[in-house]
């Protein structure tokens, strides 16, 4: 069998990926993602309110379309 690696260089590609892993919340190419402390998560009521608001706006805008029921 192979002896375990003694240096700081990973022996396999999988070990290199794990060694070079970056926290996804800190990646610059990820938009609208923010790491929050425990207890500071977004309330589900914000998402429910946004859904109700967008649904109401769509219904209101569709009421201006001629030929509706």
């Amino acid at each position: 069998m192979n002896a375990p690696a003694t240096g700081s260089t990973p022996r396999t590609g999988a070990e290199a990926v794990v060694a070079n892993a970056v926290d996804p919340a800190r990646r610059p190419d990820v938009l609208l993602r923010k790491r929050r402390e425990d207890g500071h998560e977004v309330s589900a009521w914000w998402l429910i309110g946004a859904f109700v608001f967008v649904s109401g706006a769509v219904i209101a805008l569709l009421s201006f379309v001629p030929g509706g029921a």
Side-chain angles (χ1 to χ4, degrees), residues 36-56:
R36 299 181 185 273
E37 297 295 328
D38 289 338
H40 290 131
E41 290 83 12
V42 175
S43 172
W45 288 109
W46 283 105
L47 301 176
I48 294 169
F51 174 78
V52 170
F53 176 77
V54 170
S55 298

Side-chain angles (χ1 to χ4, degrees), residues 4-63:
T6 57
S8 63
T9 305
R11 294 181 49 148
T12 66
E15 290 175 353
V17 168
V18 171
N20 297 328
V22 177
D23 182 6
R26 308 263 185 236
R27 285 178 27 197
D29 60 334
V30 177
L31 298 176
L32 304 175
R33 186 179 297 177
K34 182 177 178 183
R35 176 173 290 239
R36 299 181 185 273
E37 297 295 328
D38 289 338
H40 290 131
E41 290 83 12
V42 175
S43 172
W45 288 109
W46 283 105
L47 301 176
I48 294 169
F51 174 78
V52 170
F53 176 77
V54 170
S55 298
V58 168
I59 292 170
L61 290 173
L62 286 175
S63 68

